[in-house]
Amino acid sequence: MIALLLFGSFFLFLGLGIPVAFALGLSAVVTLITTDGVQVLDVVPSVMFPSMSSGTLLAIPFFILAGIVMQYTGISQRLVDLAFLIFGRFSHGLAAVTIISAFFFSAISGSGPATVAAIGAILIPALVRNGYQKKHAVSLVAASGSMGIVVPPSIAFIIFAVVAAEFGSISISRLFIAGIVPGIIMAAAFFIAALFVPRVRELAGLPVKAKPGTEAAAGSAATVTSASGSVGAGSVANDSAGNGGSGDGAAGGRTQLLTTKGRTASASSGSTGSGVGSVDPTVTVDVEGGFGEIMTALVKAIPGLLIPVIILGGIYGGIFTPTEAGAVASVYALIVGVFVYRELTWKDMPKVFLQSGVSTAVIMFIVGVASLFSYVITVEGVADRISTAVLGVTDNKYLILAAITIILLIVGAFVDAISAFYLFIPILVPILIGVGVDMTTIGVFMTVNLAIGLFTPPVGLNLYVGAGIGKIKLEEVVRGVVPFLICAIIALLLITYIPAISNWLPDLLGVG
């Protein structure tokens, strides 16, 4: 009866259009009042405040700050430049560039929507001009951005380690390293899906910079992708967050495309993939990308590429804890932005800190109300009763994993990962431990499940971010995301049923 009241009221509030965080808190309060009376409400602050003030969670605002600073410093542009020069020459090279750029930015931001916002404004217009239908371009970026909560450093892994600590020993460090191989598998799955996506024409390339002095054509695109990284991520972040993301990060400049034969063709920023302009003789580009050009792009991208190396190397080298790693990453990002790239000015600082503060506040509020919901589940014995009921039906590990996978895929389509962890860890982790699934596999497979939810309709947050950047209706994106969902679910099944995928690298490195 209590379980029915708790979950019934939660889904009722969701159905009424109340945001997930408020629905969690309200349903927990309704259940407490119904079962124990109004006087029990004094437990609300005593549960919420300690959960939000956990020392381990300090890593979250630091990683958020580092990710936002790197958006403002043009790191996403430089990562795209480098990936394009290496992989852009191949068939489906732009799809590979998108996935690789998302993978590396995921290792900076720790957030799926942040990854989509950072690379989407650059790559969605480029994919469209490259012959992809807009719905598939947005879907590819949205799906690739889901790696943001799997590839370390991952905010989702931090939350899992905190919530699951009472059920078994698991360190954030081990979860971080355990996410690397599953992240690579997800990247491979998205690329395979991209191979089956139809294209309206066969081009291969990103916009490149016109020769100095070339006049910009009226209405021409302003997103210029070159080794110089001239488009700052600050404009990307602002467009994505404030204006729906236009993808036009700089004024002036002619957007060019490389054809499969090395010729160039112009395209307007308003293009929907229906045509390409005539060849523009003012631009000369080496479609193969010379060694010197690649090395130049690599040098410019190194400060950004070093962030995951510093974070993971410091943690696994025993130099600092994950929380301290977040602080180091934040300071390093500020130094790079102000003194190395010089694209982050002191005038930008209030905006950067305000944005990171708001993002942190949102997450911490969700943590607080979700911990209250989790408290009710535990104290009222809901988790124990559900666990006993499930194990009474079957103790077959593979059937239980299949059932939980289906549940999490459905839940992930409606609820964010942080809320879902607080909702289901108290219920599912004891069941999985009871049938012999180790904590590392549980953490990774639950996170990958919920990562898929980021681009699963109707509430997949990455889809909304991508649709805003691509200026396309969500209904159209939903039709384009199907191939990526299918391949992601196949990857999920491999990760779920082959524990070595999650455990091999941590065991190899001796990370406990």
Side-chain angles (χ1 to χ4, degrees), residues 95-441:
V97 168
T98 301
I99 295 165
I100 292 167
S101 300
F103 186 93
F104 279 103
F105 198 85
S106 296
I108 295 172
S109 70
S111 165
T115 300
V116 175
I119 69 168
I122 302 169
L123 286 168
I124 289 175
L127 285 162
V128 170
R129 296 181 190 113
N130 195 238
Y132 290 88
Q133 296 179 51
K134 188 175 284 189
K135 64 181 180 181
H136 291 134
V138 172
S139 297
L140 173 58
V141 173
S144 300
S146 68
M147 294 184 290
I149 69 169
V150 178
V151 178
S154 164
I155 292 173
F157 281 149
I158 296 171
I159 297 292
F160 179 87
V162 170
V163 181
E166 63 179 289
F167 303 104
S169 176
I170 184 68
S171 70
I172 296 175
S173 300
R174 182 173 178 86
L175 286 172
F176 276 5
I177 205 72
I180 295 175
V181 175
I184 293 172
I185 291 175
M186 290 179 70
F190 295 141
F191 183 72
I192 291 171
L195 297 180
F196 294 94
V197 169
R199 297 163 70 186
V200 295
R201 60 185 182 280
E202 290 296 325
L203 298 176
L206 275 173
V208 296
K209 188 171 66 175
K211 284 183 176 181
T214 301
E215 293 294 328
S220 65
T223 303
V224 181
T225 302
S226 68
S228 66
S230 57
V231 179
S235 60
V236 171
N238 290 336
D239 284 345
S240 302
N243 304 318
S246 66
D248 298 328
R254 184 76 176 259
T255 297
Q256 301 296 327
L257 291 169
L258 297 178
T259 67
T260 52
K261 296 181 180 180
R263 294 192 299 267
T264 58
S266 62
S268 70
S269 61
S271 168
T272 58
S274 58
V276 179
S278 59
V279 172
D280 184 345
T282 65
V283 178
T284 303
V285 179
D286 179 6
V287 69
E288 296 298 324
F291 178 76
E293 193 175 358
I294 293 175
M295 292 307 297
T296 299
L298 175 61
V299 169
K300 292 182 177 181
I302 280 176
L305 295 174
L306 282 178
I307 288 186
V309 174
I310 292 171
I311 293 171
L312 299 180
I315 291 173
Y316 304 122
I319 301 172
F320 37 69
T321 66
T323 301
E324 292 167 343
V328 171
S330 299
V331 174
Y332 175 81
L334 287 169
I335 292 173
V336 169
V338 175
F339 299 107
V340 179
Y341 289 155
R342 297 182 180 179
E343 294 186 14
L344 183 66
T345 66
W346 295 110
K347 290 181 180 180
D348 293 326
M349 292 301 182
K351 187 164 47 179
V352 168
F353 284 107
L354 177 62
Q355 188 176 339
S356 60
V358 170
S359 299
T360 300
V362 170
I363 290 176
M364 289 305 176
F365 179 74
I366 294 173
V367 166
V369 293
S371 65
L372 181 63
F373 193 97
S374 178
Y375 169 82
V376 176
I377 289 176
T378 303
V379 170
E380 299 296 342
V382 174
D384 292 337
R385 285 194 289 273
I386 294 176
S387 177
T388 301
V390 171
L391 293 176
V393 174
T394 180
D395 60 356
N396 185 297
K397 176 171 69 174
Y398 302 105
L399 290 178
I400 288 175
L401 282 170
I404 290 175
T405 296
I406 294 171
I407 291 170
L408 290 178
L409 285 174
I410 295 172
V411 168
F414 295 91
V415 180
D416 64 277
I418 295 173
S419 301
F421 278 151
Y422 279 95
L423 276 167
F424 290 100
I425 283 177
I427 297 172
L428 300 181
V429 169
I431 296 174
L432 291 168
I433 291 176
V435 296
V437 183
D438 65 277
M439 287 291 287
T440 305
T441 302

